Amino acid sequence: MKKKALALLALFTLMIGVLLSGCSSSSESAGEDKSGDGKIHLKFMHDWPKGSSTAYYNLVEEIIKDYEAKNPNVVIDVEVLNPDQYRDKLKVLAASNELPDIGLTWSNGFAEPYATGGQFAPLDDVIEKEFKDQFVPGTVESYSFNGKSYALPMEMNITYVFYNKEIFKKYNLEEPKTFEDLKNIGKVLTENGVIPATVGSKDGWPASMWFMYLADRIGGPTILTDVIQGKVKMSDPAIVKAAEEVQNLVDMGFFVRGNTAFSNDDAKGYFLNEKAAMFLTATWELPNFTTSPDVPQEFKEKVGYFKFPVYEGGKGTDINSYVGGPGLGAFVAENSKHKEQAKDFAAYLVKEWGKRSVEGAGILPATKVDTEGLDVPQMYLDVLNDINNATNITTWFDTQASPNVAELHHDLMTALFGKQVTPEEFAKQHDDALAKEAKK
Amino acid sequence: MKNVMSNKVAIALYVLPSLLLVLFLIYIPIALTGYYGLMDWDGVGQMKFIGLENYKELIHDKLFWESTWHSVLLALFSVLSLVGYLIVSLVLASKIKGANVFRKIYIIPMLMSSVAIAQLWIKIFDPMNGLINSLFMMLGVEDPPLWLADPNMALYSVFVPIVWQYAGFYIIIIYAALINVPQELIEAARIDGANAFQIAYKIKVPLISGVLKVLIILAVVGSLKYFDLIYVMTGGGPGHATEVMASYMYKEAFGKFNFGYGSAVGFGLLVISMGTTWVIQKLLNTNK
C-alpha cells in the first residue's frame, strides 16, 4: 500500500511537472523581463532587414539607440524578419496571444482582424496628445476600425514606373503619355533584345500593381474601392478589360520571362542590374534610387520615373490619380505587460521617423514634411510635390481587401501572369470570394 | 528485474512520462485540430461553432483534391526514386574503388537545411541566369523551359530537389542493411554460378526487404505531409500548380485567416495519411 502511495505521488509530481513545463512556454509572453536585470524589456519586431532595406534598418537602429539613451531603464529587444516571414510570424504570434510589445502592421484589411480581435491597443490618446494634425490626411483612418485608431502611420507610398534613362535614350524612347505609347516602348525594346519590364509575380502583389493601374485608367479611379464596398462587381467589363490588357502585355513579351517564379526581390535585381528597362513599384524603393550606399551612384543617376500613362477611351483620364497607400504603421500589443512604456516608445519612434526619414534615409513618412531648406535629392522633392498635387490615391486593392480576399487576389495575379486563368475566370473567382465574405 | 516488471505500478511509472509527452504533444493537438475544424474562426477573435460545415466544404473543394493529387504524385515519385536509391546502394555496397567518397557525396545534401536547399535550387532553376538554362542557352536553345514558372512543369521541377535532398538518408539506410547481408550466402551463390545481378536480385534485395518496406512507408508518409521546400521555392504557385496538402492547409489557416477551415484541411491530411499507411501496410504485410 505504501509503495502504491509512493508511486502515485511520483506520478502526480510528474504530471504537474509536465503541465507546468507545458504552460511556462506559452505564458512566456511578450515583454517579459527575461534577463532579470531590472530593466523594462520591450520587444519590437520590424521587417526591414539589414541587407535589403539598409536605409530603413539603420534609421530604426539609430532611433532605438537614442531612445535607450534617454530612457536608461528600458531595453528594446529587436527582432528583424523579411516582409513575407514577418507577415506569417505575426499571424502565428497573434493566434497564440504573443504579439511583440511594439510591431509594424499594414493598414486596412491586414490590420482589421488584429484590431477588431482585440490584439492591438487603441492609440487615440497617443495620437491626440503627441500627433495632433501631424499625419498626412487619410493615413490614420486607414488603421481605424469602429471609430478607434490602432496604429501610428509611418509611411505614405505611391506607385510609379521607374525606368532606366540610358536604355530609353539608346533606343530613342520617350516617357509614354498613353498606354499605346507604353506598348510601343515594349515592342521596340523586345525587338532589340532588352527586357522591357521586370515584375515579381510569384508574390502576387507586385504584379497586381499593373492590374490596379490599368483598372484605374480604364474604369476610373474609384472602381477598385467600389468593388471592395460591393458597389461594383469584379466582372465589370472595365476590370475584365484591365485583366485582358495585362495578358496582352504578357503575350507580347513585355515582362521578364519566368516572372511567375520571381519574388519581388528577384525581379528588382533585373532592374538594378540594368537587364530590364522598367520597374513598376512604389516609393519605398526611393532610397535605392537616390541615397542608398549599396547601389552604385552611376546607376542611381540613370533612374527616372513616370506616372502610369492614361488609357485611350478609359474613364480614368487623370494622370495624377495614383495607386498607393499608407504602408506600415506602428502598433502596440493590447497584451503588452508594459503598455504605457510601449506606447511611449511607439510615439517616439514614429515622431523621430518623421523627422529623420526624409533627409537621413530618403523615406516618405506619413507625417507632414516641410521641404523648405532640406538637402534632399531632387527625386524626393518631385515625389513630395506629386503627392501634394495628387487628385486621388487609391489604396492598394489587396490592402483594402480582407486577408482572405487579398490572399486569393495574390494567387490569381500569379495565375493571370502565368496565363492559367482567363480574365473572366479571374473576375469570377474574385466575385465568388467577395460574395462569400459579404455573407459572413 | 522480473520482480519489477510484474509490478503494475512500476510499469505504469516507466511508461507514463513518455505517454504523457506523446499525449500532450501529439494526440491532444490532433484532437484539438479536429475540434477547431468544427469552428468558424479567424484565429484571433471569437470562435463560432458551425458543426460539420468545414468538412462538407472540404469534400467539394476542388483545390483540396488538386493539392491532394499533387501530394500523391510526390509520394509515387518518392517511392519510384527508392528504386534508384537501391541501385546506387547496391553499387556502393559492392566493393568498388572510391565507394567511400561517393557515400559522402550522397550524404552532404542531408546536412543542409531545407530552406538553403530551396534557395540553391531556385538559383539553379532561374529561367534566365540559372545553371540549367545557361547551359541550354550555351547549347543554342532559344527558349529553354521555365521550370518553376511554367505551371505544367513546376510540380516536377520541385520534385527533383526533394529527391536529391533525401537521397543520402535513404542510401545510408539501404547501404547499412546491405552490409549486414551474410557474406557466406553471397559466396555460396557465387560458387553456384550466380552473376552479380542475380545475387543482387535473388539474395540481397529479398534479405533487406524488411528495411525496404519501412522505407516505402516513410517515403509515402513523408511525401504526403511534405511542406517546407515547396513552400519556399514556389509558395504553391504559379497559380496552384505546386500546391500540396500541407501548403494548402497553411495558406488557408495563416494566409486567409480561416483557422477553422485550415484545421479541417489539416485533419483531412491526417486521415488521408493514416489511411494510406494502413493500405500500404496491408499490401506489404509488414505487420507479420
Side-chain angles (χ1 to χ4, degrees):
Chain A
M1 198 59 215
K2 214 171 160 192
K3 240 190 196 165
K4 227 178 192 171
L6 200 75
L8 270 174
L9 191 77
L11 205 160
F12 262 100
T13 25
L14 240 167
M15 269 174 85
I16 289 164
V18 168
L19 280 174
L20 281 181
S21 67
C23 294
S24 71
S25 68
S26 65
S27 67
E28 196 188 300
S29 72
E32 204 156 277
D33 302 341
K34 274 179 265 171
S35 49
D37 54 6
K39 291 184 177 179
I40 297 176
H41 282 252
L42 292 177
K43 195 160 179 224
F44 173 45
M45 238 168 86
H46 71 73
D47 71 331
W48 294 309
K50 205 169 184 171
S52 56
S53 313
T54 319
Y56 289 70
Y57 179 87
N58 290 339
L59 185 60
V60 171
E61 272 304 274
E62 214 178 273
I63 294 172
I64 290 171
K65 249 188 223 137
D66 289 350
Y67 186 78
E68 285 177 338
K70 280 190 188 155
N71 299 272
N73 63 329
V74 180
V75 178
I76 312 283
D77 295 322
V78 188
E79 185 175 353
V80 190
L81 294 145
N82 78 38
D84 285 323
Q85 287 168 350
Y86 181 89
R87 268 170 216 255
D88 290 350
K89 179 147 187 186
L90 210 60
K91 281 171 200 163
V92 178
L93 291 177
S96 52
N97 273 322
E98 287 178 39
L99 283 184
D101 299 279
I102 305 109
L104 304 179
T105 173
W106 286 267
S107 65
N108 302 73
F110 182 88
E112 191 171 2
Y114 297 95
T116 54
Q119 295 278 339
F120 291 171
L123 297 175
D124 297 280
D125 48 338
V126 182
I127 293 171
E128 182 63 27
K129 207 173 89 201
E130 313 244 3
F131 292 99
K132 213 160 173 46
D133 298 327
Q134 287 280 306
F135 289 115
V136 175
T139 48
V140 177
E141 287 76 2
S142 303
Y143 304 92
S144 300
F145 308 96
N146 306 330
K148 283 184 193 153
S149 313
Y150 289 91
L152 308 173
M154 296 181 77
E155 295 178 296
M156 180 68 205
N157 289 297
I158 55 176
T159 318
Y160 293 111
V161 182
F162 292 88
Y163 71 103
N164 190 314
K165 285 192 265 190
E166 199 176 73
I167 299 180
F168 268 48
K169 210 166 135 198
K170 192 170 167 195
Y171 301 106
N172 289 323
L173 299 168
E174 275 174 23
E175 294 184 0
K177 290 274 167 291
T178 65
F179 187 64
E180 217 39 55
D181 294 346
L182 187 69
K183 273 185 165 171
N184 278 328
I185 292 175
K187 225 161 106 196
V188 172
L189 289 173
T190 41
E191 276 164 11
N192 287 292
V194 179
I195 302 164
T198 181
V199 60
S201 56
K202 175 181 152 192
D203 288 345
W205 59 264
S208 179
M209 290 178 181
W210 286 93
F211 161 74
M212 289 188 284
Y213 258 126
L214 279 163
D216 175 288
R217 297 297 191 246
I218 297 173
T222 58
I223 193 157
L224 287 176
T225 312
D226 287 347
V227 169
I228 297 280
Q229 291 170 355
K231 290 186 220 154
V232 172
K233 284 207 147 193
M234 202 74 175
S235 45
D236 187 281
I239 298 180
V240 175
K241 180 89 193 154
E244 232 175 78
E245 286 290 5
V246 166
Q247 289 198 328
N248 289 343
L249 289 177
V250 172
D251 283 340
M252 66 177 278
F254 192 85
F255 301 109
V256 57
R257 251 169 70 83
N259 58 66
T260 49
F262 288 152
S263 69
N264 187 55
D265 279 347
D266 296 333
K268 191 170 31 173
Y270 280 87
F271 186 67
L272 292 178
N273 295 323
E274 305 188 49
K275 294 244 174 72
M278 289 178 275
F279 183 32
L280 175 64
T281 193
T283 42
W284 58 63
E285 292 290 352
L286 279 179
N288 271 333
F289 306 145
T290 51
T291 52
S292 170
D294 297 345
V295 179
Q297 186 60 31
E298 240 173 286
F299 172 73
K300 287 187 235 169
E301 276 159 20
K302 289 181 198 163
V303 180
Y305 76 84
F306 57 82
K307 300 166 188 173
F308 200 90
V310 292
Y311 190 90
E312 300 86 346
K315 281 188 205 150
T317 50
D318 192 346
I319 203 159
N320 287 321
S321 162
Y322 297 94
V323 168
L328 293 161
F331 71 80
V332 170
E334 179 71 26
N335 294 329
S336 166
K337 290 217 172 99
H338 311 283
K339 208 149 97 187
E340 286 314 308
Q341 196 67 47
K343 279 183 182 175
D344 187 60
F345 171 69
Y348 183 83
L349 173 73
V350 175
K351 217 178 232 173
E352 289 301 311
W353 180 265
K355 278 188 207 153
R356 303 183 197 187
S357 60
V358 174
E359 197 159 14
I363 297 157
L364 295 175
T367 37
K368 288 176 185 160
V369 187
D370 181 14
T371 52
E372 198 62 40
L374 275 186
D375 176 29
V376 292
Q378 187 58 39
M379 201 187 264
Y380 277 109
L381 297 178
D382 294 346
V383 168
L384 285 169
N385 202 20
D386 284 346
I387 293 183
N388 287 336
N389 295 325
T391 52
N392 166 58
I393 298 178
T394 304
T395 304
W396 288 295
F397 178 80
D398 45 343
T399 307
Q400 287 195 59
S402 67
N404 199 347
V405 175
E407 181 86 9
L408 177 79
H409 177 69
H410 290 162
D411 281 348
L412 283 172
M413 278 319 308
T414 315
L416 190 72
F417 270 67
K419 301 209 68 182
Q420 287 162 279
V421 287
T422 62
E424 288 78 18
E425 278 170 55
F426 171 82
K428 190 180 172 298
Q429 290 199 35
H430 274 100
D431 277 338
D432 290 350
L434 285 161
K436 217 167 138 193
E437 198 85 337
K439 249 195 272 166
K440 273 187 189 169
Chain B
M1 201 61 199
K2 208 174 165 194
N3 217 344
V4 175
M5 280 308 162
S6 63
N7 183 343
K8 285 195 179 123
V9 176
I11 294 174
L13 210 62
Y14 279 116
V15 177
L16 254 172
S18 50
L19 182 71
L20 283 177
L21 276 179
V22 170
L23 263 181
F24 276 101
L25 294 178
I26 298 177
Y27 288 98
I28 290 179
I30 286 177
L32 279 177
T33 306
Y35 170 71
Y36 291 147
L38 304 172
M39 302 288 167
D40 179 16
W41 182 36
D42 63 7
V44 181
Q46 279 292 316
M47 281 191 226
K48 201 175 106 201
F49 185 79
I50 51 165
L52 289 173
E53 277 312 305
N54 282 331
Y55 293 98
K56 270 188 216 153
E57 199 182 325
L58 193 65
I59 290 173
H60 300 289
D61 187 346
K62 233 176 70 199
L63 261 176
F64 173 71
W65 292 113
E66 212 174 285
S67 44
T68 307
W69 171 237
H70 294 157
S71 292
V72 170
L73 271 180
L74 176 59
L76 288 175
F77 212 76
S78 304
V79 171
L80 277 181
S81 57
L82 275 178
V83 178
Y85 301 148
L86 178 65
I87 295 171
V88 172
S89 311
L90 280 167
V91 174
L92 289 182
S94 63
K95 287 168 187 120
I96 56 160
K97 260 193 189 162
N100 255 326
V101 178
F102 283 111
R103 239 169 50 225
K104 286 190 182 100
I105 289 175
Y106 286 114
I107 289 166
I108 284 175
M110 243 178 91
L111 307 176
M112 291 170 69
S113 79
S114 285
V115 177
I117 292 176
Q119 293 298 343
L120 177 75
W121 281 86
I122 287 174
K123 296 282 177 293
I124 292 176
F125 279 133
D126 186 295
M128 310 282 292
N129 312 316
L131 184 71
I132 303 177
N133 278 6
S134 302
L135 215 71
F136 269 113
M137 284 194 258
M138 246 163 57
L139 295 172
V141 182
E142 284 220 346
D143 286 322
L146 292 176
W147 310 116
L148 296 175
D150 182 343
N152 297 319
M153 202 175 270
L155 189 65
Y156 303 101
S157 302
V158 291
F159 285 173
V160 175
I162 296 174
V163 169
W164 180 81
Q165 176 186 19
Y166 284 102
F169 172 75
Y170 287 112
I171 288 174
I172 205 172
I173 293 178
I174 301 174
Y175 175 83
L178 284 173
I179 290 291
N180 283 330
V181 172
Q183 205 59 36
E184 305 89 72
L185 279 178
I186 296 168
E187 234 136 71
R190 197 167 288 145
I191 291 164
D192 288 344
N195 59 28
F197 177 76
Q198 284 168 324
I199 292 175
Y201 183 65
K202 293 256 165 83
I203 296 176
K204 287 184 178 169
V205 174
L207 277 175
I208 62 163
S209 65
V211 172
L212 291 179
K213 283 172 188 169
V214 173
L215 290 186
I216 289 174
I217 291 177
L218 271 182
V220 170
V221 175
S223 305
L224 288 179
K225 59 179 197 192
Y226 200 77
F227 174 71
D228 43 10
L229 212 136
I230 292 182
Y231 189 73
V232 178
M233 282 183 78
T234 63
H240 290 281
T242 58
E243 205 78 80
V244 288
M245 279 192 279
S247 67
Y248 186 57
M249 168 182 81
Y250 182 82
K251 273 191 182 171
E252 282 294 330
F254 294 103
K256 299 188 179 175
F257 271 115
N258 293 337
F259 272 76
Y261 193 61
S263 300
V265 174
F267 207 72
L269 194 162
L270 176 81
V271 170
I272 291 172
S273 300
M274 285 202 325
T276 320
T277 315
W278 186 77
V279 170
I280 296 174
Q281 271 180 342
K282 281 279 153 216
L283 287 176
L284 299 176
N285 261 331
T286 40
N287 283 341
K288 259 187 198 167

